Amino acid sequence: MDSREPDGARGAGDRTSRKAARDAPHPDLQALAVQLRRLNGEVNRLIHGFAAGQGLHPTDVQALSAILDAKDPLTPSLLRRRLGLTSGAVSACVDRLERAGHITRVRESTDRRVVHLRYVPGAQTRARSHFSPLAEATERVRRGFSDEELAVVLRFLGTLNEELEETRRPQA
């Protein structure tokens, strides 16, 4: 320590630089963010193209994905919460999707007030055809990774999606 520095001055500077280093984003984080934005842009390009070709809004395509990916049948209310839409916006979305022949509303037999949204099987063929370049690219890339590497990628993406879902929930 330089005798001209007051006691503790050097230690405080070291603590500050360690804190700055700890708080600085990891260099790979920037590269990862760039790649995630690029991927998002490419997927959005496909979504917008499909939406335009079907006379839909891109949000309608998000709704189709939510209906297709749901473990249990979605109701308009669940879809509204999943997409963060107002009840009026989700009603308009469901109407457009139904008119375009992508989904159907199915009344629950035990409680006729409950409406489930179901993807019309024939409509999936249109979507599959449009999104086949994404599926084919994914398959080509997937073949270049081991099962262990893919497991890490899937875990990362799953965990990231869970974290992002948390940001939609109102904070207490």
Side-chain angles (χ1 to χ4, degrees), residues 18-153:
R18 280 194 307 268
K19 181 180 179 340
R22 190 176 56 242
D23 293 344
H26 191 280
D28 290 344
L29 182 60
Q30 177 66 27
L32 186 60
V34 168
Q35 294 304 319
L36 287 171
R37 283 192 297 270
R38 285 185 61 203
L39 177 61
N40 184 56
E42 291 301 321
V43 170
N44 278 338
R45 179 181 56 78
L46 289 168
I47 288 170
H48 285 262
F50 181 74
Q54 298 294 309
L56 300 173
H57 187 277
T59 302
D60 300 342
V61 182
Q62 287 180 310
L64 282 174
S65 293
I67 293 166
L68 182 64
D69 295 343
K71 291 178 184 125
D72 297 314
L74 284 184
T75 63
S77 177
L78 288 171
L79 181 62
R80 179 187 65 75
R81 284 196 296 272
R82 176 120 356 124
L83 297 180
L85 300 174
T86 64
S87 55
V90 84
S91 291
C93 172
V94 169
D95 288 344
R96 283 190 302 271
L97 290 172
E98 194 170 40
R99 273 193 312 273
H102 287 281
I103 66 164
T104 186
R105 290 174 169 109
V106 178
R107 294 222 177 264
E108 183 64 41
S109 62
T110 56
D111 184 348
R112 303 289 296 155
R113 296 170 297 176
V114 176
V115 174
H116 288 144
L117 305 173
R118 304 236 187 242
Y119 210 125
V120 174
Q124 289 178 337
T125 303
R126 287 185 275 169
R128 213 174 273 123
S129 174
H130 182 84
F131 289 100
S132 65
L134 175 61
E136 291 162 3
T138 302
E139 179 57 25
R140 283 190 305 274
V141 170
R142 186 200 61 77
R143 286 193 299 256
F145 289 82
S146 69
D147 289 344
E148 293 79 17
E149 289 171 318
L150 287 172
V152 170
V153 170

